[in-house]
Every structure is written in C-alpha cells, then in structure tokens.
Amino acid sequence: IEASESIYAFAGRTRLPLALAFDGSRPGLDVLHAGRADLALLVVPPGELSGLDGFESITLAYHCAVVLVPASVPLEEITLGQLRDAFGESGANNLGRWGDLGVGGELAPSAIALHLPAAGQGIAVEFFRTAVLGERPFKSTVERYATPGELARRLAGDRRGLALAAVRPPAAPGIKLVRLAARAGEPAYSPTPENVHAGDYPLALPLRMVFRRAATRRLQPLLQFLLSDEFVPVLERAQVVPLAPAARQQQALRLK
C-alpha cells in the first residue's frame, strides 16, 4: 500500500498518467509481452526475460532470506547445507541440536527452535524452500510468526531460536544476523546492499524494473524516482534490500 501511495503521489506531482496493478510477476510479464504495459516490477528467473525484445531490465532491489538468532548465541556463520539439514524434514544429516552447528557450552544439547514467517508474509519462505530445501518439506516442529515484532519477542525470550526472515527486524538489539556461506569452506557474507548486489550473498533474488525501450524518455522521471533516495525507505519497509547508493547512481546513469 505504501509503495503504491508513494508512486501515485509522485505521478500526481509530475502529471504523469499512471495506472498500477499488483497482479504478480508472471501476469506482469504476460502483460508486457502483450504490449499492454510500459513498465513492470518483476521477480522472475533471469532466463525468463531473455525473450523480451524491445525491453530493458534494471535491478531495483533484492528479496532476501536472512538467518537470525538471539544476540547471545555464539553462532556467527552458517552454510546453506546446514540450513537445509536444520529446517528440512527427513534429511540424511538431520541437525536438531545446537551442538550440531558447532555451538558449545550449555546450549549445545538444546534442541534448535525453528521459526518461519507465516503464510502471506512475503516470498522469503518459498524462495528458501525452492533454493535450499528442493523437494524436502519443512520440519513439522517449525513455528510460524506473523510479524517482525513477534519474531523479535520470541527470539528475545528463547535463546534456542533460529529464524528465517526477509530482513532483520528494525529496532531489535536482541537479534543478530548470521553470515551465510554457499558451501563449507567458502567465505560467509552478511546481506548488506553491497554484498547482495555483488552476488556474494547466497540467498538474494533481484526485483527488476522491466520497461519498454521505446518509452524510456517518457518513463525516465518515474524510473529515476524509483532509484532515488526518497524511495529507499519505501523499499526497506516493504522488506526488500535496496541497492547501495553507488549502485543506484550507476543504474540511474544507465537510464541517461
């Protein structure tokens, strides 16, 4: 809602005729193909954009899946394989206790309490399931949370918690991000805008602006607005990771 209000407000200020539809990425891609739209914000695999002759694609932000634990837990990094075996059901290398993740001390024998966003809370869960679990379902013991605030309260009250989220909840000092490595022995990265845009963070999916090349001049004010500092807080509150300032400036220069 906030994104649409912000875009409509910009259109009003600049007298840009605009109609928005939030129908999903695949319907949006179909509308572009059919010539019934000039611009779409899409989350699709890169290969699906290859057939869009006459269109340009520019990355606006990223959907991510991040790993969170209570700040007191001495876990600094984790691999995709460990996440698969912690969250996935019926794995050959089931990870059920904190000691399985290399955490020692009194926490080692404790069962890992797993937390996921509730259905309808963004695409982080399905992205993680597809990219990491494959055909495996989530463990039946996984608990769901409805809001970032609820997750912050849970992790603050239970030192055993391990959670997936779209972003780190704001103003939650009792929660820390765990760096993520694609495989054991490889460097682990935090989901900073720089790491995500460089392709180093393993669980990031680009949100792309795809627009009709012939309409670039007419659309340029709107495209520049979507890449502006003004729109960054809107993206952050929508739980996506905006581009770093330098990358946004580079994308804006491409449009010129």
Side-chain angles (χ1 to χ4, degrees):
I1 293 175
E2 184 180 359
S4 61
E5 289 176 344
S6 178
I7 293 171
Y8 272 126
F10 172 79
R13 293 197 305 267
T14 58
R15 298 183 179 180
L16 176 70
L18 182 71
L20 289 180
F22 287 87
D23 296 330
S25 289
R26 296 198 186 282
L29 190 57
D30 292 340
V31 169
L32 282 179
H33 272 297
R36 301 197 305 273
D38 293 313
L39 168 69
L41 302 184
L42 303 177
V43 183
V44 295
E48 296 193 23
L49 299 177
S50 58
L52 279 176
D53 293 332
F55 286 83
E56 295 287 345
S57 174
I58 289 182
T59 299
L60 173 63
Y62 291 87
H63 287 277
C64 292
V66 305
V67 183
L68 303 168
V69 295
S72 60
V73 173
L75 180 70
E76 305 302 326
E77 59 184 60
I78 196 168
T79 67
L80 292 181
Q82 288 174 318
L83 285 176
R84 181 186 65 246
D85 293 332
F87 280 90
E89 191 71 83
S90 304
N93 300 310
N94 180 59
L95 300 182
R97 302 189 180 278
W98 279 102
D100 299 332
L101 292 175
V103 174
E106 61 181 18
L107 190 60
S110 299
I112 302 171
L114 303 169
H115 301 272
L116 292 174
Q121 301 296 310
I123 66 172
V125 169
E126 286 306 309
F127 174 36
F128 177 86
R129 185 187 62 78
T130 302
V132 179
L133 297 189
E135 298 301 319
R136 288 167 60 177
F138 285 105
K139 287 180 177 175
S140 59
T141 54
V142 169
E143 297 186 19
R144 300 279 185 156
Y145 61 89
T147 65
E150 181 184 345
L151 173 62
R153 292 189 293 273
R154 285 190 189 183
L155 292 187
D158 186 356
R159 191 166 176 241
R160 300 171 304 134
L162 177 70
L164 291 177
V167 294
R168 182 184 182 277
I175 295 178
K176 72 177 180 182
L177 282 163
V178 179
R179 296 191 304 274
L180 186 56
R183 285 169 287 275
E186 295 188 3
Y189 295 92
S190 297
T192 64
E194 293 81 4
N195 289 342
V196 170
H197 191 55
D200 293 326
Y201 187 74
L203 288 179
L205 196 59
L207 170 62
R208 304 176 190 274
M209 302 188 298
V210 183
F211 53 94
R212 194 172 299 281
R213 191 174 297 131
T216 303
R217 179 169 297 189
R218 178 164 55 88
L219 292 173
Q220 181 140 177
L222 176 59
L223 297 169
Q224 296 285 357
F225 169 69
L226 295 174
L227 289 166
S228 69
D229 293 342
E230 181 182 350
F231 200 65
V232 166
V234 178
L235 292 170
E236 291 175 336
R237 286 191 287 273
Q239 298 192 56
V240 296
V241 178
L243 299 184
R248 281 190 287 112
Q249 184 178 23
Q250 185 181 42
Q251 300 287 52
L253 287 174
R254 278 187 59 192
L255 293 173
K256 296 181 178 180

